[in-house]
């Protein structure tokens, strides 16, 4: 996937970095070139602002560009990196302090033949993973076989999330949740809309995760009021950056809702951002997190977290603790200001 690295420079000589990587153009209302087009639109309107004043910055971004949270996210995150460097503190301290010694990761398993998926899970278990996100949302007959084959190969203490990524109709979702009702699995985002997904939740006693529809504080509040989920998937760029993700994280903790903390996709800088938010979330409410840089083939920054036995730790260096590899990234594709 096409990722955009953003550098926010200050007149004090301090630069903050962030990364935004939409998962293609058909997953969320976001696309890779849209990040850069949005930055060209909003960037000139931010020149001269104080990057350490994060709330006024976010209010101004929302005032000058309606919507497009994924465009604003890397600006916000880069300013958190700046704030950490100014304060000589890691972003984890700024987000509230370490709440757990490290973060348990999940591994995503792409749709394939059921036996192939089960074999991949066995391999990832040997690497230390105990939480798995099984990609379903295809033919319900195939999905039922996939879920059963993968649950069978796991230990009773392992977690298996069946993530349809909005792919089922309500009819197909109803079939699947009834067919696997005897298994210890989670059901994630079965249908396209919030209303369809909540209808499926009413038909199953299995624990329920919402992701794509929880795209901001207002939808989170609605879901809490309507008992729409047991867990949410909190993607940082989907909601507009660390400032708004922290608001949602704290609201979930206050309401005793666990979260998978991650993003749409990305590399080293995205992974560093995820690790900072996840490790400052109490373990009880940090359902899992993602080390996206372990899925990629190119390292774009030094200092990023690396998985060890299915876990990772955020950097203790000031800011996000990463340094971009300019020999890999090359020259900027755009400069604003």
């Amino acid at each position: 996937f096409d990722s955009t690295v953003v550098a926010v420079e200050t007149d004090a000589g301090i630069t903050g970095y962030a990364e935004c990587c939409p998962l293609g153009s058909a997953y969320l209302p976001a696309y890779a070139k849209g990040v850069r087009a949005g930055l060209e639109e909003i960037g000139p309107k931010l020149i001269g602002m104080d990057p350490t004043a994060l709330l006024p910055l976010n209010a101004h971004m929302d005032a000058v560009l309606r919507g497009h949270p994924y465009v604003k996210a890397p600006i916000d995150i880069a300013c958190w990196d700046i704030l950490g460097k100014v304060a000589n503190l890691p972003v984890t301290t700024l987000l509230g302090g370490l709440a757990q010694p490290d973060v348990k990761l999940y591994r995503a398993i792409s749709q394939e033949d059921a036996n192939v998926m089960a074999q991949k899970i066995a391999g990832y278990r040997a690497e230390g993973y105990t939480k798995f996100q099984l990609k379903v949302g295809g033919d319900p007959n195939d999905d039922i076989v996939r879920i059963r084959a993968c649950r069978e190969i796991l230990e009773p203490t392992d977690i298996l999330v069946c993530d349809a990524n909005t792919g089922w109709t309500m009819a197909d979702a109803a079939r699947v949740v009834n067919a696997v009702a005897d298994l210890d699995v989670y059901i994630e985002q079965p249908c396209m809309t919030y209303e369809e997904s909540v209808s499926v939740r009413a038909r199953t006693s299995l624990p329920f995760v919402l992701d794509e529809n929880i795209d901001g504080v207002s939808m989170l509040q609605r879901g809490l009021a309507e008992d729409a989920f047991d867990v949410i998937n909190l993607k940082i760029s989907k909601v507009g950056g660390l400032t708004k993700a922290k608001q949602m994280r704290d609201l979930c903790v206050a309401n005793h809702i666990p979260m998978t903390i991650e993003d749409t996709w990305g590399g080293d800088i995205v992974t560093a951002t995820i690790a900072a938010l996840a490790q400052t979330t109490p373990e009880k409410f940090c359902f899992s997190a993602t080390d996206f840089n372990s899925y990629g083939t190119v390292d774009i920054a030094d200092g990023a977290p690396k998985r060890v036995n299915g876990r990772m730790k955020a950097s203790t260096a000031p800011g996000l603790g990463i340094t971009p590899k300019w020999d890999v990234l090359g020259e900027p594709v755009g400069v604003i200001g």
Side-chain angles (χ1 to χ4, degrees), residues 13-31:
I14 297 173
T15 301
Y17 302 103
E19 177 187 9
C20 183
C21 186
L23 191 68
S25 58
Y27 172 59
L28 292 171
Y31 65 105

Side-chain angles (χ1 to χ4, degrees), residues 2 55 68 97 113 119 123 145 156 205 227 241 253 258 274 300 322 333:
D2 186 350
L55 293 180
H68 302 280
D113 176 80
Q119 290 169 8
V145 175
S205 61
D227 190 28
V253 171
I274 292 168
I300 63 170
I322 57 87
V333 297

Side-chain angles (χ1 to χ4, degrees), residues 55-80:
L55 293 180
L57 172 68
N58 275 270
H60 185 67
M61 288 196 290
D62 289 341
V64 299
L65 181 64
R66 182 76 57 91
H68 302 280
Y70 71 106
V71 171
K72 302 166 188 174
I75 299 171
D76 173 77
I77 293 165
C79 289
W80 277 89

Side-chain angles (χ1 to χ4, degrees), residues 115-334:
N115 291 328
V116 173
M117 295 175 83
Q119 290 169 8
K120 286 189 173 182
I121 283 182
Y124 291 133
R125 281 201 84 259
E127 295 178 13
Y129 288 97
T130 59
K131 300 184 178 187
F132 304 92
Q133 187 188 72
L134 191 68
K135 294 301 183 181
V136 287
D139 181 275
N141 297 313
D142 294 337
D143 285 337
I144 291 165
V145 175
R146 289 170 175 139
I147 294 168
R148 288 196 166 278
C150 291
R151 182 67 258 188
E152 183 178 355
I153 205 166
L154 292 174
E155 295 295 323
T157 54
D158 292 339
I159 298 295
L160 184 64
V161 179
C162 308
D163 182 12
N165 281 126
T166 76
W168 289 323
T169 64
M170 283 197 296
D172 288 343
R175 278 197 61 212
V176 176
V177 298
N178 285 329
V180 301
D182 59 311
L183 299 181
D184 179 13
V185 297
Y186 289 72
I187 303 296
E188 180 172 337
Q189 192 69 45
C191 303
M192 180 66 70
T193 69
Y194 172 87
E195 291 77 12
E196 290 171 321
S197 296
V198 171
S199 175
V200 175
R201 173 167 169 74
R203 307 178 195 206
T204 180
S205 61
L206 294 173
F208 207 78
V209 185
L210 280 186
D211 176 3
E212 286 84 349
N213 296 145
I214 308 302
D215 56 4
V217 173
S218 61
M219 280 305 299
L220 175 58
Q221 289 174 315
R222 179 182 175 186
L224 289 168
E226 297 177 359
D227 190 28
F229 44 70
D230 300 294
V231 180
I232 71 160
N233 197 331
L234 180 56
K235 288 183 165 70
I236 297 170
S237 68
K238 177 178 67 177
V239 303
L242 276 174
T243 299
K244 292 179 179 178
K246 181 182 183 298
Q247 292 173 346
M248 294 176 69
R249 186 273 304 273
D250 293 345
L251 185 57
C252 282
V253 171
N255 284 273
H256 307 111
I257 297 294
M259 296 152 279
T260 290
I261 295 175
E262 58 163 3
D263 214 315
T264 49
W265 205 254
D268 290 307
I269 306 176
V270 162
T271 301
T273 308
I274 292 168
L277 186 61
Q279 203 175 346
T280 58
T281 301
E283 184 176 4
K284 183 178 180 180
F285 301 113
C286 187
F287 186 65
S288 64
T290 317
D291 57 328
F292 278 125
N293 57 356
S294 74
Y295 293 81
T297 57
V298 178
D299 292 335
I300 63 170
D302 293 317
K306 302 293 183 182
R307 78 170 188 269
V308 178
N309 295 324
R311 298 169 179 261
M312 71 175 174
K313 293 182 179 181
S315 173
T316 58
L320 290 173
I322 57 87
T323 303
K325 293 186 173 183
W326 299 114
D327 58 328
V328 175
L329 293 170
E331 293 298 314
V333 297

